[in-house]
């Protein structure tokens, strides 16, 4: 048996902390895998807010959710805006009460998508700061990083530096990574104190 993939590890870390009925955020909808995971974990009494700047990503997410039995899923709010706008997009009543925020950075891995359209370091760092503020105590942020594409290495390093600089009184951070290949995707996870 091998190690878990970075996506599976992110899901495992979130599943251990997210409670049914809570709100959660998919900061980068992409193809909808994390939105579906969160909607399942939150259950029908929870809520999921899924962000993407690409309408095609939100449509892929909508299609993925539509294939599931809706009665078991949390309502998913698909928001056509950048993740750096999550604080203003979420109801104030949820600030400080979100159970999990998941980021899957890089580009949209879908047929016909432009691989040059990638997440940007500046908006990602803003979004991470907002995500930390929106979390409840013991809530979690996961960020899957892709250093193997142009621009991905700088973004990954910036996210890792941001997480490492957090005061331990605020949060604890971990890295899950294959050490033999520096271009492999890896995971940074942050648990709020």
């Amino acid at each position: 048996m091998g190690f878990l993939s970075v996506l599976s590890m992110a899901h495992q870390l979130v599943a251990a902390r997210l409670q049914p009925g809570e709100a959660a955020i998919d900061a980068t909808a992409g193809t909808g895998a994390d939105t579906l995971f969160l909607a399942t974990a939150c259950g029908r009494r929870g809520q999921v807010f899924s962000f993407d700047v690409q309408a095609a990503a939100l449509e892929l997410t909508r299609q993925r959710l539509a294939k599931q039995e809706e009665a078991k899923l949390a309502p998913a709010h698909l928001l056509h805006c950048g993740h750096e706008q999550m604080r203003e997009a979420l109801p104030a009543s949820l600030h400080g009460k979100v159970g999990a925020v998941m980021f899957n950075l890089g580009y949209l891995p879908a047929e016909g998508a432009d691989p040059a359209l990638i997440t940007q370091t500046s908006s990602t760092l803003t979004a991470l700061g907002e995500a930390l503020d929106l979390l409840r105590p013991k809530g979690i942020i996961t960020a899957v990083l892709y250093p193997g594409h142009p621009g991905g290495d700088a973004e990954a390093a910036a996210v890792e530096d941001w997480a490492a600089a957090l005061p331990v009184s605020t949060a604890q951070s971990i890295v899950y990574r294959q050490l033999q290949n520096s271009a492999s995707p890896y995971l940074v996870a942050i648990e709020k104190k």
Side-chain angles (χ1 to χ4, degrees), residues 121-135:
T121 302
S122 62
S123 62
T124 296
L125 293 176
T126 298
L128 285 164
E130 290 189 3
L132 190 59
D133 289 343
L134 291 169
L135 283 181

Side-chain angles (χ1 to χ4, degrees), residues 69-108:
E69 185 180 330
E70 289 182 29
K72 295 183 179 184
L73 298 180
H77 309 277
L78 305 181
L79 303 165
H80 189 201
C81 60
H83 51 207
E84 73 278 8
Q85 297 173 326
M86 69 175 72
R87 182 195 319 270
E88 50 195 78
L90 257 65
S93 61
L94 293 177
H95 292 196
K97 297 179 181 173
V98 172
V101 183
M102 299 186 78
F103 290 78
N104 199 334
L105 300 172
Y107 57 87
L108 178 61

Side-chain angles (χ1 to χ4, degrees), residues 158-181:
V159 169
E160 195 172 336
D161 289 347
W162 176 85
L166 291 170
V168 292
S169 59
T170 301
Q172 62 178 343
S173 306
I174 62 167
V175 175
Y176 180 75
R177 180 177 207 165
Q178 179 188 7
L179 297 175
Q180 294 93 336
N181 183 353

Side-chain angles (χ1 to χ4, degrees), residues 3-181:
F3 291 117
L4 292 175
S5 71
V6 293
L7 296 173
S8 295
M9 178 58 83
H11 286 186
Q12 188 173 80
L13 290 170
V14 170
R17 289 159 180 81
L18 189 61
Q19 300 298 312
E22 285 194 299
I25 297 170
D26 183 350
T28 50
T31 63
D34 289 338
T35 299
L36 176 58
F37 165 75
L38 291 168
T40 303
C42 291
R44 64 179 185 227
R45 292 180 295 125
Q47 307 185 61
V48 176
F49 296 85
S50 187
F51 294 83
D52 212 292
V53 297
Q54 296 183 72
L58 296 173
E59 179 57 23
L60 289 169
T61 300
R62 187 198 63 71
Q63 290 173 13
R64 186 179 291 249
L65 293 170
K67 293 177 184 175
Q68 304 303 310
E69 185 180 330
E70 289 182 29
K72 295 183 179 184
L73 298 180
H77 309 277
L78 305 181
L79 303 165
H80 189 201
C81 60
H83 51 207
E84 73 278 8
Q85 297 173 326
M86 69 175 72
R87 182 195 319 270
E88 50 195 78
L90 257 65
S93 61
L94 293 177
H95 292 196
K97 297 179 181 173
V98 172
V101 183
M102 299 186 78
F103 290 78
N104 199 334
L105 300 172
Y107 57 87
L108 178 61
E111 187 176 323
D114 181 359
L117 184 55
I118 62 172
T119 52
Q120 299 298 309
T121 302
S122 62
S123 62
T124 296
L125 293 176
T126 298
L128 285 164
E130 290 189 3
L132 190 59
D133 289 343
L134 291 169
L135 283 181
R136 63 162 165 76
K138 302 296 183 197
I140 188 168
I141 297 169
T142 60
V144 177
L145 309 169
Y146 296 86
H149 68 84
D153 53 345
E155 183 177 47
V159 169
E160 195 172 336
D161 289 347
W162 176 85
L166 291 170
V168 292
S169 59
T170 301
Q172 62 178 343
S173 306
I174 62 167
V175 175
Y176 180 75
R177 180 177 207 165
Q178 179 188 7
L179 297 175
Q180 294 93 336
N181 183 353

